[in-house]
């Protein structure tokens, strides 16, 4: 009982009660739910090319990474300070993950690629949680009279405030004779939307990962790497290897057919990697943004805070999963053909 009546508990309880009372008593405007669109929305045109909000976000993410990398590394010293030591510890931790999976030899080649993917994905996910995203942008006329009302802030109607139906009615009632009116039927197109909520972006990342998987497989095994897709060696052996006998040739031919079927399955699995990679990342991040928007619409300003923490964690986990699965695919591609070659690859990597 004494713990429940401690000073920290009482202060925390008082702060929560005060926030709830303020939210109930003050005329705080509600959060307007933006239109939920799976495809990326166009925001303007540049030299005849349509620029979407996710493309802008991709550019912004790259700018943040490039400028941030330059600012962080321009004053590095041999004896690291506190922040440089923290950064080096983080980088070494991720490098240790890759090295533990792939070995010292291949980790030096894998790490720059997979770490770049990780940084792009995690910054795209986390930037999407900032107020710069999904809160402002061009207003478009809604179809069939739907949409929300807009209170224009200037006579030319180039700057407006997106308001709800109740606020629009109050503004219209108070605006008679004062020139202040609210016009209904608009949808907000966010100027910025997290890049990873666009299936085109996640598909591009998945293609990069799978194509690099084929590259490292060929680099490690040569043209024999493609033997897992075109496995005709068993059928050729059934007709050319001497001393098999009739039963042996039939059995070898049957195993060759199985190898061909497995090769088809392997080819389909490479396509499946692209699909699973792209839809996993897209689905998790897009669903998280929709969840935050709906929670803010239902209970403004308060209930969304725990979900923000959840989405920060989910953004990190999805970036880490994408990174480590890419490393795993690289390793599998380099150690695919038989037990002897698998042992050779493991010896080379370690």
């Amino acid at each position: 009982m004494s713990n429940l009546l401690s000073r920290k508990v009482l202060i925390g309880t008082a702060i929560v009660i005060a926030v709830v009372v303020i939210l109930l008593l003050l005329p705080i405007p509600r959060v307007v739910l933006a239109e939920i669109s799976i495809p990326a929305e166009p925001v303007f045109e540049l030299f005849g090319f349509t620029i979407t909000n996710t493309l802008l976000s991709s550019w912004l993410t790259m700018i943040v990474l490039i400028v941030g990398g330059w600012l962080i590394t321009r004053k590095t010293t041999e004896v690291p300070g506190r922040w440089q030591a923290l950064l080096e510890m983080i980088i070494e931790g991720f490098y240790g993950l890759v090295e533990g999976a792939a070995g010292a030899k291949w980790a030096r080649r894998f790490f720059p690629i997979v770490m770049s993917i990780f940084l792009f994905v995690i910054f795209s996910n986390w930037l999407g949680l900032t107020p710069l995203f999904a809160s402002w942008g061009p207003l478009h006329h809604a179809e069939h009279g739907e949409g929300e009302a807009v209170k224009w802030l200037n006579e030319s109607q180039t700057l407006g405030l997106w308001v709800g139906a109740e606020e629009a009615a109050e503004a219209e009632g108070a605006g008679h004779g004062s020139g202040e009116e609210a016009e209904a039927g608009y949808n907000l197109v966010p100027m910025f939307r997290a890049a990873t909520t666009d299936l085109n972006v996640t598909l591009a990342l998945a293609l990069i990962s799978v194509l690099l998987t084929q590259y490292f497989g060929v680099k490690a095994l040569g043209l024999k790497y493609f033997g897992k897709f075109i496995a005709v060696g068993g059928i050729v052996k059934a007709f050319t290897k001497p001393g098999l006998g009739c039963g042996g040739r039939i059995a070898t031919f049957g195993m060759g057919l199985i190898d061909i079927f497995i090769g088809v399955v392997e080819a389909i699995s490479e396509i499946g990697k692209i699909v699973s990679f792209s839809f996993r990342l897209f689905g998790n991040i897009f669903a998280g943004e929709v969840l935050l928007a709906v929670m803010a619409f239902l209970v403004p300003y308060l209930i969304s805070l725990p979900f923000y923490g959840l989405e920060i964690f989910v953004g990190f986990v999805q970036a880490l999963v994408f990174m480590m699965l890419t490393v795993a695919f690289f390793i599998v591609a380099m150690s695919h053909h038989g037990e002897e070659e698998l042992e050779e690859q493991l010896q080379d990597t370690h």
Side-chain angles (χ1 to χ4, degrees), residues 117-136:
I117 293 175
F118 173 82
L119 290 175
F120 179 82
V121 172
I122 194 170
F123 272 85
S124 296
N125 297 344
W126 284 355
L127 284 174
L129 302 176
T130 62
L132 181 65
F133 284 62
S135 59
W136 67 284

Side-chain angles (χ1 to χ4, degrees), residues 43-44 52-54 56-57 132 134-138 189-193:
V43 289
F44 63 87
T52 63
N53 45 17
T54 53
L56 280 179
S57 300
L132 181 65
S135 59
W136 67 284
V189 177
M191 183 63 71
F192 291 98
R193 170 180 155 184

Side-chain angles (χ1 to χ4, degrees), residues 176-220:
H176 289 300
S178 63
E180 185 180 348
E181 298 181 358
E183 185 178 352
Y186 286 88
N187 282 330
L188 174 68
V189 177
M191 183 63 71
F192 291 98
R193 170 180 155 184
T196 44
T197 62
D198 186 355
L199 190 57
N200 294 306
V201 175
T202 59
L203 180 60
L205 292 171
L207 284 171
I208 291 171
S209 175
V210 173
L211 289 177
L212 285 173
T213 299
Q214 315 312 312
Y215 167 77
F216 283 116
V218 173
K219 190 173 182 65

Side-chain angles (χ1 to χ4, degrees), residues 129 288 291-292 295-296 299-314:
L129 302 176
L291 174 66
L292 288 177
M295 289 297 102
V299 185
Y301 311 114
L302 190 61
I303 198 65
S304 300
L305 295 179
F307 292 98
Y308 262 94
L310 175 63
E311 289 307 313
I312 290 173
F313 176 72
V314 169

Side-chain angles (χ1 to χ4, degrees), residues 148-166:
E148 296 288 344
V150 174
K151 184 170 66 175
W152 298 109
L153 303 179
N154 56 3
E155 294 181 358
S156 60
Q157 294 188 350
T158 57
L159 184 64
L161 182 64
W162 209 26
V163 298
E166 297 178 0

